[in-house]
Amino acid sequence: MKKLQNCLYITKDGAYLRKELETLVIEQRVDGKKQKLMQIPIHSIGHIFCFGNIMVSPQLMGFCGENGTGLSFFNMFGSFQARVVGKQTGNVLLRRAQYKASDEQAAVIARSIIASKLRSSKNVLMRHSRNHGETLEVKKVVGRHKQIIEELKVQTDLDRIRGLEGEAASHYFSVFNNMITLKKTDFKLNGRTRRPPKDPVNAMLSFLYSVLGNEISGALQGVGLDPQVGFLHRERPGRDSLAQDLLEEFRAYIVDRLVLTLINRQQIKLKDFEYDVLGGVMMKDDTRKLLLQAYQSKKQEVIGHKFLNEKVEIGLLPHVQAMLLARHIRGDLDCYPPFFTD
């Protein structure tokens, strides 16, 4: 089992990262003078995430690439920009099998992933109903999710599978605000908006989706798969389509539940966000830190994995699912077992 190494999130605007022997040094200029903020052994870091105006030395970039330490860059909204990638790992035969499966098994794998996503979304809604009472709107969405899951079992047309996924997502987000129990006027999802997000809820969702999606990309590369060649999402230059495929399995269970918890526990407040002249919303520096700390804590939680019948840390789930997908593509498993919980 892969050890869950620490992820380092750099949100300090103007920070400079460099390599010093086998350590990572984080500096910042204060009143024209360099000030050392942190120095830690680099081998204890699994991934470095940089948000906003962060500078990194070429030596550190090369060291990360050589040693498999992830180094990713995001803008202040959390949108992915770039990633330092080292030498390609894995068997070329596995990647050839992946490309073949992308052409021949796309519908089969895509419908499994979407069925898993819908189960997770449905469970998030049902969990809220158990704790706060069921509304007619939520009951209808849960019912339609169940119907779509049954419809997916016999679907072989990829476009139809994508259409059902889109319909389910639209229904799910139409009742998302029902799960916000406090400060409803401050926190309201006005439909899914992205580049840039137009409200605080969208800002948090997009931010964490982006972070998790990039972690999944790293996990896929770790088992030798090509993160850009997927089954559900269409291939597009610069997009890690396979990572976006696997992200669907974790959106509701990891990200949506975490965002709802932070809002409903009033750990996040409206004053924690800023608006730009175009109406885009972004989190303040301390807010990003709070969100990332909560996300990192979530990753340490241990759950039972249905297929493996083992206890697994949530932060390891991308690596587990990448490994299971690689085993299926190699022919070791008859089908790909997506992640789901009851």
Side-chain angles (χ1 to χ4, degrees), residues 298-315:
K298 182 74 175 177
K299 288 166 59 179
Q300 307 297 324
E301 296 178 11
V302 176
I303 62 168
H305 193 284
K306 298 290 185 181
F307 181 80
L308 297 179
N309 196 27
E310 293 180 11
K311 296 292 185 180
V312 177
E313 289 179 336
I314 287 176

Side-chain angles (χ1 to χ4, degrees), residues 11-29:
T11 62
K12 196 78 171 176
D13 196 56
Y16 177 65
L17 281 61
R18 63 179 177 86
K19 175 180 177 289
E20 184 175 302
L21 298 177
E22 300 298 306
T23 68
L24 165 67
V25 176
I26 305 173
E27 298 175 336
Q28 188 178 36
R29 284 195 173 275

Side-chain angles (χ1 to χ4, degrees), residues 63 71 93 119 154 169 183-184 186-188 197 226 279 284:
F63 189 78
L71 176 60
L93 298 179
R119 289 184 66 168
V154 296
K183 300 291 184 180
K184 286 179 172 290
D186 290 347
F187 293 96
K188 184 177 181 181
D226 185 341
K284 295 180 180 178

Side-chain angles (χ1 to χ4, degrees), residues 18-252:
R18 63 179 177 86
K19 175 180 177 289
E20 184 175 302
L21 298 177
E22 300 298 306
T23 68
L24 165 67
V25 176
I26 305 173
E27 298 175 336
Q28 188 178 36
R29 284 195 173 275
V30 178
D31 297 328
K33 296 180 180 179
K34 289 183 180 178
Q35 183 180 61
K36 184 182 291 186
L37 303 178
M38 182 182 295
Q39 184 169 7
I40 51 178
I42 201 164
H43 293 294
S44 65
I45 304 170
H47 209 120
I48 303 170
F49 296 91
C50 301
F51 297 91
N53 181 29
I54 309 297
M55 294 165 284
V56 180
S57 73
Q59 291 78 14
L60 179 61
M61 289 185 185
F63 189 78
C64 288
E66 291 171 1
N67 291 273
T69 299
L71 176 60
S72 303
F73 298 88
F74 301 79
N75 66 16
M76 297 300 289
F77 293 103
S79 295
F80 174 72
Q81 295 180 315
R83 180 175 64 248
V84 172
V85 179
K87 184 178 179 180
Q88 176 69 56
T89 60
N91 192 325
V92 66
L93 298 179
L94 172 61
R95 294 194 293 277
R96 284 187 175 180
Q98 176 189 355
Y99 304 148
K100 183 178 180 181
S102 179
D103 292 331
E104 300 177 358
Q105 301 181 46
V108 175
I109 296 176
R111 73 187 184 200
S112 295
I113 290 172
I114 294 308
S116 168
K117 173 186 180 177
L118 266 58
R119 289 184 66 168
S120 293
S121 300
K122 172 176 65 68
N123 289 341
V124 169
L125 293 170
M126 293 174 64
R127 181 172 177 264
H128 173 80
S129 294
R130 286 194 300 269
N131 294 334
H132 301 279
E134 187 176 51
T135 64
L136 180 59
E137 294 89 347
V138 171
K139 184 177 180 179
K140 287 181 178 179
V141 171
V142 169
R144 183 56 184 143
H145 269 54
K146 292 178 180 178
Q147 291 173 352
I148 293 176
I149 291 171
E150 291 301 313
E151 291 179 40
L152 284 169
K153 292 179 180 179
V154 296
Q155 281 297 330
T156 58
D157 181 78
L158 189 55
D159 286 334
R160 177 57 180 159
I161 292 169
R162 289 170 175 148
L164 289 171
E165 185 274 333
E167 179 195 342
S170 178
H171 291 318
Y172 172 72
F173 283 114
S174 73
V175 295
F176 195 89
N177 289 328
N178 291 49
M179 294 185 285
I180 298 174
T181 57
L182 296 172
K183 300 291 184 180
K184 286 179 172 290
T185 56
D186 290 347
F187 293 96
K188 184 177 181 181
L189 185 78
N190 300 311
R192 275 296 285 138
T193 56
R194 299 169 180 84
R195 302 177 182 88
K198 297 295 186 180
D199 58 69
V201 180
N202 269 298
M204 290 186 285
L205 291 176
S206 294
F207 182 80
L208 289 180
Y209 288 157
S210 185
V211 172
L212 179 54
N214 200 59
E215 291 182 0
I216 294 170
S217 290
L220 291 167
Q221 291 182 73
V223 299
L225 291 171
D226 185 341
Q228 292 196 335
V229 180
F231 304 96
L232 172 66
H233 290 83
R234 292 183 173 89
E235 294 171 15
R236 191 176 70 194
R239 179 166 74 178
D240 286 353
S241 296
L242 183 57
Q244 292 301 305
D245 287 357
L246 295 194
L247 176 61
E248 301 296 348
E249 301 176 26
F250 305 120
R251 287 180 188 269

